[in-house]
Amino acid sequence: MSHPVDYPRRMNQAATAPPVGSLAPASSADEGAGLFGAHRGPLTVTDDFQVLDDPVEQKEFTEVHEEDGHTTAESVLMVQGMYCAACADTVECALQGLPGVHSAQVHAATRRLTLRWDPASTRMSELAQIVGRTGYRLLPMQQAMSISERLRETRQMLWRLFVAGFCMMQVMMYAWPAYVAEPGEMPPDIDQLLRWASWVLSVPVVTFASGPFFRSAWRDLRQGRIGMDTPVSIGILVTFLVSSAATFDPTGLWGHEVWFDSLTMFVFFLLGGRYLELKARDRTAGALDALMNRLPEVCDRQREDGNFESVSVRRLGTGDLVRVQAGQAFPGDGVIESESATVDEALLTGESRPLTRLRSEPVVAGSFNLAGPVLMRIERLGRDTRFAQIVSLMEKASTEKPRLAILADRIAAPFLVVVVLGALAAGAFWWQTDPGKAVAVAVAVLIVTCPCALSLATPSAMLASAGALARRGVLVRRLQAFETLSGINTVVFDKTGTLTRDRLEVRELSMRDGVAREQVLALAASLAQGSLHPVSKAIVEAARQQSVTPTRPTGEVTEQAGQGMAATFERHGHVRLGSAAWAGVVTVGTSDGPRAYLSDEQGWLATFEMEEQLREDAITAVSALRQQGIRTLLLSGDREGAARLVAGELGIDEVIAGATPEHKLAEVVRLQQNGRTLAMVGDGLNDGPVLARANTSFALGHAAALAQAQSDYVIQGGRLMDVVDTLQQARDTMRIVRQNLIWAAVYNAISIPLAMVGWMPPWLAGLGMAGSSFLVIANAARLARQPGRAAA
């Protein structure tokens, strides 16, 4: 390949997309050139796909892991040219089994490819070339979702739809006399002239408008597969060839009837349904895309002379001073350098209220600047930002195939073979009595039974719900969790930081005689400053407020999850901070609130009495769960008195207190063995094992990284009512999934017999197939409303 391709200066400018593989790398002579940056001059395709190997560009869609000394890369890319589950199977089959490819999974509804591969054995450009030979194109997410790409795809679909619709209307006008004229009333030469006119108008419908069906079918046949467009393409081709034979030879076997009107009608209906399906998919899965691709492509960076230059976000570095315009997202994590800024952090917190950030206060990537231009200093970029971590969670969810979707895809593949055999059998049966009608029946059977609706039933609904929850600040890490969550009967809560606020305050401090308050705070803060536990944070904050500098330990601080911290200090020896059992002291104090104990080699040193407050919506959330018939349980490592005090205020059914991480895990297992289906809500490091063991789980947005990694849902804003809303959303989701699956089954049960007995003409079969797919996606789109409010 040596022909030149003029690559667009920016992704957000409308441009004709280059052919498959026409991506070129950034050159050293032009910093910022490449896939997303500016380019000064034409690129040649000699270095096709090389941009996918560019480390600067690749880090935006690839995450590298070290496993047992081996490097494994995981990339998430968009597959351009996909229309159905059969397309997904074709791409997967093209990649699986290749040297260096560990796994390849394509999600039909989102057109995302999740590829695990070995950079030492293969290159991304080589894999993209192999996919390109099957007729599909791999693109980084941000380019695929760019305005130019979306406009190009929409424009092509509309052109095909226009050609099919215009020709269909003309052909119907020419076919109308044959339907209304009495036998012998229309002269043969006029009848033949109308046939020729219909044939001429049908040629662009077959050669241009039907192009996507033929290309997809040819790709599948070359792979030795029968895809969803295969029966459609056979039906179009057979109808056109038989009608052409009747036009060229009116006295032959097929000469008494033509089906150009049916041909153009069902092509128009199929294309119309596919277009509506694309727009509906943009409103469902597209909700995730909009959230995941909100970072700007370019921004203004200040040069040394004080002027600003427009550069690609990928060319920014930490310490850069950038200007963010009103309505633009912040490109990285950093601090405000202007006097103030008004920002929207709804994606990160679920809170849609505008927030004010003053000079030197932090802002996060992905949040929007709502006022005038703002200067910010970049501190973290790319995968180091919290936004990137959120996107990673959402990408993994959007590429997962739920169990029901996998089952539907498995059914769809053999079903297509049965469709082709059934069409042949129906055609052979009718051939004995009416060869002309045999063709129409066979074509109708081929078209009406395409299982697109079956394959879209589950993923479209789950993705719509995931998008709706993401806009509210609830991230779905596994789509399969919707099915599990809809069937739970018990919700298990952690206490500290979950039902209560994650921030505690030191209400009272008791010390051993002869020990100064500042000395105790210095020791405790030194141990606590590396911990994420709310008690530790409260101690560190108390020391900061009293301007106490933590004492430096002589050794490393160690932490026992759920117990406490320990280290060695020069004057006190081995010092422990944590629970009474951990500190090795007898309980001292009268409060039922949270406590932490400090001890040294001489014994008890101090007691920290904490004060905690319930979350504002904790009582409402627990009450709402009980009204829905869900049992609630408090599983805490805190003391019995403190745990029962909180449970009594909230009306929680059961309490298990004083539990170590091992005890918590054992209790969860015991509950499951007794028939409980559990949803666990937690936030701490010690909650990781039970979050993983529970049937499904929630982690609050401030939770430890391990807790978030083990959960199915991450609640960014920390609102407990989001647990209730997500439960209702899961139930609505599975209700919509069942409706979609029932509709797909009923549609096939009714339409197939009608087509076989000859009561469904090809044009009506095309309308039914397109309408069934659109109905499934439109039904799923109802879930994109406010969570918990989808129609029954």
Side-chain angles (χ1 to χ4, degrees), residues 342-356:
T342 304
V343 300
D344 173 13
E345 297 183 355
L347 173 64
L348 305 174
T349 64
E351 181 57 64
S352 59
R353 256 183 347 199
L355 303 174
T356 300

Side-chain angles (χ1 to χ4, degrees), residues 386-435:
R386 186 177 176 191
F387 175 77
Q389 297 167 5
I390 293 173
V391 168
S392 178
L393 293 177
M394 297 167 70
E395 281 180 344
K396 289 177 181 178
S398 64
T399 54
E400 181 196 34
K401 284 187 177 181
R403 182 183 62 84
L404 290 175
I406 295 174
L407 180 61
D409 289 349
R410 288 177 179 172
I411 295 174
F415 183 72
L416 287 167
V417 178
V418 175
V419 165
V420 175
L421 295 177
L424 292 175
F429 174 80
W430 281 97
W431 184 273
Q432 303 173 24
T433 56
D434 189 346

